Amino acid sequence: MNGQSGDGHDTTDGMERWRFQRLPTADGGRLRLGFWPAPSMPRGSVLLLPGRCETLEKYAEQAADWTRRGFATVGLDWRGQGGSSRFLPNAHKGHVSDFDLYLDDLAAALPVLLPAGTPRPAVAFGHSMGGHILLRFLAERPHPFAAAVACAPMLGIRTAPLPEPLARMVAAAMVRRGLGEHYALGQTDWLPADPPFAGNPLTSDPARFLVGHVAYRDDPELALGGVTWGWLDAAFRSMRRLWRDARVASLTLPVLVLSAGGDRIVLSARQQAFATRLPQGRVRVYPGAQHELMMEVDSIRDRVWADIDAFMAETLPAPAEVPAEVPAPTAA
């Protein structure tokens, strides 16, 4: 299951190093929580919050990078994707009725992922949909984080050829007609054939482009397809709620917003505008980069990591030394 990026870097090795735990939810579902082998002398902890359609297996390379920097690394699969329970009989449909469910799940998972005694300070890293949920959670809920990184956060979705207001109206209308659990226009089940790299809107790196697909192929129960009208309507409503939330202007923790200049999935200009509302917000833009900044070619990814490192050095205590790795806790 090894792969080499365009820069010669191994992209898939180590997926099996995640150790998983199942957490029941109050409504009868389950969350899959992940624990990466921790450094022996951590300088802190980081929580990884994936984007839509992602699973923690895709974050193995990033988890190893955080560990080398001295962070105990944990994460979760959002409900409706990865190894967590699904909302619909067709497990390929990316569906949720309300993003508040994601916030509730994160609140339930935090005491298990970052219990008392976990190395502090704690940092949160959220990508795309995960970045959006993270920003809402920081504004709305109690949290343990000393700093946060929002990577290409979903603050506006590219809806071409429809204008965004029309797409929002159509999604809401389809939900009102009782079609919320149906696929949105053009969305389908996951297909096992390798997707074409040419013209993809995610990354410039051909090996990293396939990391998530390889995880699905190796374990089809993780696979996820496109979104439903209900998910799309819930996403629009959640983004509008975040933009209108006055509590954003009162956030006191440092937040680094990473923005892909060539993003064709979400609206990078919205990310830059949102960062100006954060009292301790910083924004870094990577011209020409595609949506998945942490899955980009090394020439871009290295710049992203340099900015994260500088942000951590500015906002967190300096580590005493670079620690070695030790085994992760035994999975339940």
Side-chain angles (χ1 to χ4, degrees):
M1 194 168 59
N2 293 335
Q4 295 292 320
S5 74
D7 298 301
H9 193 82
D10 193 357
T11 60
T12 58
D13 188 44
M15 287 183 182
E16 71 284 350
R17 299 185 70 196
W18 284 109
R19 297 294 178 262
F20 297 112
Q21 177 177 338
R22 309 289 180 175
L23 178 68
T25 61
D27 58 357
R30 71 180 187 279
L31 289 171
R32 187 175 73 154
L33 312 182
F35 302 83
W36 190 261
S40 59
M41 296 176 59
R43 62 176 289 197
S45 300
V46 64
L47 170 64
L48 303 182
L49 301 175
R52 197 207 80 81
C53 202
E54 293 187 319
T55 183
L56 283 176
E57 281 82 352
K58 186 175 176 179
Y59 281 66
E61 184 181 13
Q62 190 185 152
D65 289 338
W66 282 106
T67 303
R68 280 192 292 272
R69 287 163 168 81
F71 287 89
T73 303
V74 298
L76 62 77
D77 285 346
W78 297 113
R79 202 118 60 96
Q81 62 189 58
S84 294
S85 60
R86 308 300 171 96
F87 290 108
L88 300 179
N90 181 352
H92 286 246
K93 288 184 174 180
H95 179 76
V96 73
S97 60
D98 195 306
F99 271 43
D100 281 2
L101 291 168
Y102 293 139
L103 272 68
D104 293 342
D105 285 350
L106 179 53
L110 278 176
V112 182
L113 290 167
L114 298 171
T118 299
R120 295 294 195 265
V123 177
F125 177 100
H127 171 64
S128 194
M129 184 186 83
H132 168 82
I133 298 167
L134 171 60
L135 291 170
R136 272 198 61 190
F137 196 88
L138 296 176
E140 298 181 27
R141 307 285 182 101
H143 65 83
F145 303 113
V149 180
C151 179
M154 187 185 75
L155 301 171
I157 302 173
R158 292 195 179 275
T159 60
L162 293 181
E164 185 180 18
L166 181 57
R168 189 167 56 241
M169 291 172 58
V170 170
M174 297 300 275
V175 171
R176 288 195 299 270
R177 290 178 57 190
L179 300 176
E181 296 183 0
H182 290 230
Y183 272 130
L185 187 65
Q187 304 292 291
T188 66
D189 287 358
W190 173 76
L191 302 174
D194 285 356
F197 173 73
N200 86 85
L202 301 176
T203 174
S204 307
D205 189 294
R208 290 190 177 106
F209 171 67
L210 287 174
V211 170
H213 183 76
V214 167
Y216 286 0
R217 189 181 64 209
D218 289 352
D219 186 354
E221 290 190 1
L222 301 175
L224 189 68
V227 301
T228 64
W229 289 114
W231 183 94
L232 194 58
D233 176 60
F236 282 132
R237 287 187 284 112
S238 186
M239 287 186 289
R240 175 175 288 187
R241 176 169 174 168
L242 178 59
W243 277 102
R244 293 178 174 181
D245 194 336
R247 290 171 291 185
V248 168
S250 300
L251 288 176
T252 58
L253 81 166
V255 178
L256 175 63
V257 177
L258 306 174
S259 185
D263 207 318
R264 289 177 282 162
I265 302 293
V266 299
L267 302 175
S268 57
R270 298 266 181 92
Q271 298 157 5
Q272 298 160 43
F274 190 86
T276 65
R277 299 179 56 198
L278 299 167
Q280 293 201 63
R282 299 125 165 102
V283 63
R284 299 291 182 270
V285 183
Y286 306 91
Q290 297 297 324
H291 179 61
E292 294 188 350
L293 286 166
M294 299 304 283
M295 304 299 286
E296 264 287 10
V297 292
D298 284 352
S299 57
I300 294 172
R301 196 173 182 272
D302 289 348
R303 287 170 22 223
V304 174
W305 266 119
D307 287 334
I308 294 174
D309 289 340
F311 174 68
M312 294 300 165
E314 177 187 355
T315 58
L316 300 180
E321 61 181 85
V322 178
E325 294 181 37
V326 297
T330 302

